[in-house]
Amino acid sequence: MDRSEQGLLRTPTVPEEGEDVAATLSATETLSEEEQEELRRELAKVEEEIQTLSQVLAAKEKHLAEIKRKLGISSLQELKQNIAKGWQDVTATSAYKKTSETLSQAGQKASAALSSVGSVITRKLEDVKLQAFSHSFRNSPTFKSFEEKVENLKSKVGGTKPAGGDFGEVLNSTANASVTATEPPTEQTQENL
């Protein structure tokens, strides 16, 4: 191989970081005039090909835009299609499926827990509401008047018992007294006769 062929096969050295640029310039000094001319022709040819390819690409992009316009495909529709396809690709991955399943299970557990907490809170609020209603009802003038009437009736029917008994006891004794008052006193009439 002669020296001119060796020059064409040699790979050009690119300066690494920290290397002296002067060292790379010396490589061009070692090329012969003929080798340099060959490289210049090759450089011009590659630049021309790049320009031609850029023109062809621009023409193809223009043609593509015209076809899309005729088909009624807008940039927004194209973007929507790309996003939809991307989302479809993401949802098809196993990582997405596992994550989705895990989040679904966590959501179900959280929902059950919140439902439980909600039920407990509802029951507690109902208890508080009932206690508040019971307290306000017992302290109302109507209830006080009813309670006094029941106690008066009890004392008339059942005799004198110390006041202050449980309201349930008062109601039970009043109910028993009213049942006794409505029954005919058969035993007393027979004894009296």
Side-chain angles (χ1 to χ4, degrees):
M1 229 189 242
D2 68 343
R3 189 167 187 245
S4 65
E5 290 176 350
Q6 287 178 353
L8 292 175
L9 296 176
R10 197 176 337 150
T11 58
T13 58
V14 178
E16 293 291 325
E17 192 174 325
E19 273 189 0
D20 191 6
V21 177
T24 58
L25 289 178
S26 65
T28 57
E29 292 173 4
T30 60
L31 293 176
S32 69
E33 197 58 41
E34 196 177 292
E35 292 170 337
Q36 287 180 8
E37 189 58 38
E38 179 67 30
L39 287 175
R40 285 188 191 109
R41 281 192 299 266
E42 189 176 344
L43 177 65
K45 183 179 174 185
V46 170
E47 285 176 343
E48 186 180 323
E49 287 175 356
I50 289 173
Q51 188 176 11
T52 303
L53 289 173
S54 295
Q55 290 170 351
V56 169
L57 179 63
K60 294 282 185 186
E61 286 175 342
K62 185 177 179 182
H63 184 64
L64 175 71
E66 188 176 322
I67 291 171
K68 285 182 178 180
R69 184 186 55 79
K70 287 179 180 178
L71 290 173
I73 299 173
S74 67
S75 298
L76 182 60
Q77 289 173 329
E78 194 172 351
L79 179 65
K80 285 179 184 178
Q81 289 173 350
N82 289 343
I83 289 173
K85 185 179 182 320
W87 181 249
Q88 184 180 11
D89 292 345
V90 166
T91 57
T93 63
S94 63
Y96 176 83
K97 290 177 183 177
K98 287 178 183 176
T99 303
S100 177
E101 184 179 312
T102 302
L103 289 176
S104 175
Q105 290 173 354
Q108 289 172 353
K109 289 178 181 177
S111 177
L114 289 176
S115 178
S116 255
V117 168
S119 296
V120 169
I121 290 173
T122 302
R123 276 188 254 128
K124 291 293 182 185
L125 288 175
E126 287 174 352
D127 290 348
V128 168
K129 184 178 169 184
L130 184 60
Q131 288 174 355
F133 174 74
S134 174
H135 180 69
S136 65
F137 179 71
R138 285 190 175 173
N139 290 334
S140 71
T142 306
F143 182 77
K144 294 273 187 202
S145 172
F146 175 71
E147 190 174 31
E148 288 173 7
K149 288 180 182 177
V150 169
E151 286 183 21
N152 286 339
L153 181 63
K154 181 183 171 196
S155 65
K156 288 180 185 176
V157 174
T160 57
K161 225 179 187 182
D166 182 76
F167 181 67
E169 292 174 10
V170 172
L171 285 178
N172 285 337
S173 64
T174 305
N176 289 337
S178 66
V179 169
T180 311
T182 57
E183 290 180 358
T186 54
E187 293 178 11
Q188 290 179 357
T189 5
Q190 290 176 355
E191 289 178 9
N192 291 339
L193 291 176

